[in-house]
Amino acid sequence: MPIKGYGTLEGTARYRDRFKERAAANHFRPEQNLWLSSIGLGTYLGNPDEATDERYTESVMRAVELGVNLIDTAANYRFQRSERSIGVALHHLTEEKICARDEFIICTKGGYLPFDGKPPKDVRRYVEETFVRPGIADFSDIVNSHCMTPRYLQSQIDQSLRNLKLETVDVYYIHNPESQLSAITRTEFETRLRAAFELLESNIAEGKIRTYGAATWNGFRAAPTKREYLSLERIVEIAREVGGVEHGFRFIQLPFNLAMPEALAGDNQTAEGEQVSVLEVASALGVAVVASASLLQGKVARNLPEHIREPLGSLATDAQTAIQFVRSTPGITTALIGMSSRAHVEENLQLVRVAPTLPEDFQRLFNEGEE
């Protein structure tokens, strides 16, 4: 039986209150009528094998015990195995009454065609048998292994709910929608996006998801002249046209880290005619921002210079320093960290006790090393 319920204000506040003596101020943030942890657990990396499955299950359980109530995944992560590992963890957490369903937030994504457990020997045959023949998607709908038609997204929502053993997903992202723009016009893209939003709004009404959003890589960081550019203002406008003022488009996800600061430092978005950063426009539009790639797969978690380490508190490890930068940035709700081992969970979540802080002159962190 799927786990019933979803994250609520009352439940996430109850979770927050359990950490009153253990969590620093502002580790939990009020956002979208929820209390969300400033660090979330990501599940992208890792081999598609049972050993990694078990480590992720243990990592999710340990993270929830230590103060993380936002878990992020996607249908295609580790060929659906990450969703299934989370499902096992959630079953244990709720059955053993470690955490109630209304205390945590589960986010997943649909868009890329996911394999089932491992790569198939014949990819085209797999796609044809799994998606085309059953009428879930046509080959003409697929762009770079990506699809976001209503029929396809519905199949993915239902599959993710089965994998996660849930009745309701809290946040459902369209995964890298900008990838479609490599092959279709912007007009066609907006038509497809509108149809996807209509489908997602209907799933909110049916209780299968609570909110939705866009999880991107380049879209919200690219210059407006680039083909893959996404305007958050325009996307929210489409959501409002589809769902009214109470539309469900409430979250975006994009890379943000010491090497990729564009969400804060770049003014590539427009808000009422003004050029602003994506963090500024998201705040103005009531959209929560979740940072992916907070450690850039470990590339910004080693050999950090002292002019970056010292303003961020001279923490015990470079990984903690890099995480501290992301979670301390105004406008970032949660910094996602991929953690597939108990040891990394326990090391990184020492930050739960450390207050997020960022120097007023953020740019100095980068400029001093170049002088």
Side-chain angles (χ1 to χ4, degrees):
M1 291 291 293
I3 302 167
K4 296 182 180 298
Y6 46 82
T8 66
L9 176 60
E10 180 184 9
T12 54
R14 186 190 320 121
Y15 180 86
R16 174 205 62 191
D17 290 346
R18 288 212 301 275
F19 291 87
K20 275 186 175 178
E21 305 302 322
R22 291 181 282 167
N26 202 32
H27 170 60
F28 292 100
R29 287 92 184 267
E31 184 63 70
Q32 304 301 331
N33 210 31
L34 300 164
W35 285 92
L36 305 181
S37 55
S38 65
I39 301 172
L41 190 146
T43 58
Y44 172 57
L45 296 177
N47 295 324
D49 55 37
E50 291 185 7
T52 307
D53 295 344
E54 292 172 1
R55 286 198 298 271
Y56 264 124
T57 294
E58 183 181 24
S59 292
V60 170
M61 294 180 66
R62 187 59 176 149
V64 170
E65 291 172 349
L66 293 178
V68 164
N69 75 336
L70 187 147
I71 311 297
D72 182 85
T73 190
N76 66 311
Y77 288 179
R78 301 177 51 252
F79 315 125
Q80 301 187 59
R81 300 179 78 118
S82 286
E83 284 189 332
R84 291 165 184 165
S85 296
I86 292 169
V88 174
L90 299 183
H91 175 78
H92 287 309
L93 287 166
T94 54
E95 286 295 306
E96 297 168 19
K97 301 189 184 306
I98 297 169
C99 188
R101 174 63 184 98
D102 63 354
E103 296 178 348
F104 54 79
I105 306 301
I106 303 300
C107 315
T108 193
K109 314 175 189 75
Y112 289 113
L113 304 180
F115 300 142
D116 192 352
K118 61 182 180 180
K121 293 180 179 179
D122 185 332
V123 172
R124 183 179 176 85
R125 181 178 178 181
Y126 171 83
V127 171
E128 185 171 2
E129 292 179 349
T130 306
F131 301 109
V132 177
R133 288 182 185 173
I136 294 170
D138 295 327
F139 280 115
S140 61
D141 299 327
I142 300 169
V143 179
N144 298 324
S145 300
H146 187 278
C147 183
M148 61 182 198
T149 63
R151 287 179 302 171
Y152 175 75
L153 289 177
Q154 189 62 63
S155 75
Q156 293 304 286
I157 290 169
D158 293 340
Q159 181 64 54
S160 289
L161 289 172
R162 289 191 293 270
N163 289 342
L164 291 161
K165 304 182 188 299
L166 295 178
E167 187 178 74
T168 306
V169 164
D170 298 285
V171 184
Y172 193 83
Y173 294 109
I174 301 178
H175 201 175
N176 288 5
E178 68 268 31
S179 64
Q180 295 262 324
L181 285 164
S182 65
I184 62 176
T185 66
R186 193 161 294 273
T187 298
E188 174 61 21
F189 174 79
E190 291 193 358
T191 297
R192 293 186 180 190
L193 195 64
R194 184 184 301 274
F197 286 0
E198 290 172 350
L199 182 279
L200 294 168
E201 291 286 351
S202 71
N203 275 264
I204 291 175
E206 293 174 15
K208 291 186 176 184
I209 66 174
R210 290 289 291 168
T211 61
Y212 61 95
T216 69
W217 187 256
N218 290 324
F220 292 129
R221 298 186 304 114
T225 56
K226 296 294 185 180
R227 190 177 182 93
E228 68 269 27
Y229 172 76
L230 296 177
S231 164
L232 182 55
E233 186 178 51
R234 177 58 181 149
I235 287 174
V236 171
E237 182 180 6
I238 293 170
R240 193 177 294 121
E241 291 168 358
V242 170
V245 294
E246 299 298 321
H247 64 85
F249 189 97
R250 298 298 170 183
F251 287 82
I252 63 169
Q253 188 179 123
L254 77 165
F256 182 73
N257 53 61
L258 284 164
M260 302 168 73
E262 298 93 342
L264 176 65
D267 291 337
N268 68 333
Q269 295 287 319
T270 303
E272 298 182 352
E274 298 289 327
Q275 291 300 118
V276 297
S277 71
V278 69
L279 293 181
E280 290 175 291
V281 72
S283 177
L285 294 171
V287 175
V289 181
V290 175
S292 61
S294 298
L295 297 180
L296 196 56
Q297 299 182 15
K299 294 176 184 177
V300 294
R302 61 178 75 92
N303 302 320
L304 293 181
E306 191 58 31
H307 79 272
I308 287 180
R309 287 182 47 80
E310 188 273 331
L312 291 167
S314 297
L315 298 166
T317 69
D318 283 348
Q320 290 177 359
T321 302
I323 298 167
Q324 182 73 337
F325 164 73
V326 177
R327 73 193 281 255
S328 299
T329 298
I332 297 291
T333 298
T334 299
L336 293 177
I337 315 298
M339 295 182 283
S340 60
S341 76
R342 183 187 181 99
H344 283 156
V345 169
E346 293 179 345
E347 175 188 315
N348 293 334
L349 294 191
Q350 292 175 28
L351 287 174
V352 170
R353 298 176 178 271
V354 180
T357 56
L358 191 70
E360 289 186 15
D361 185 8
F362 145 84
Q363 199 65 40
R364 178 170 59 87
L365 294 179
F366 304 94
N367 292 343
E368 283 188 2
E370 297 173 0
E371 293 176 354

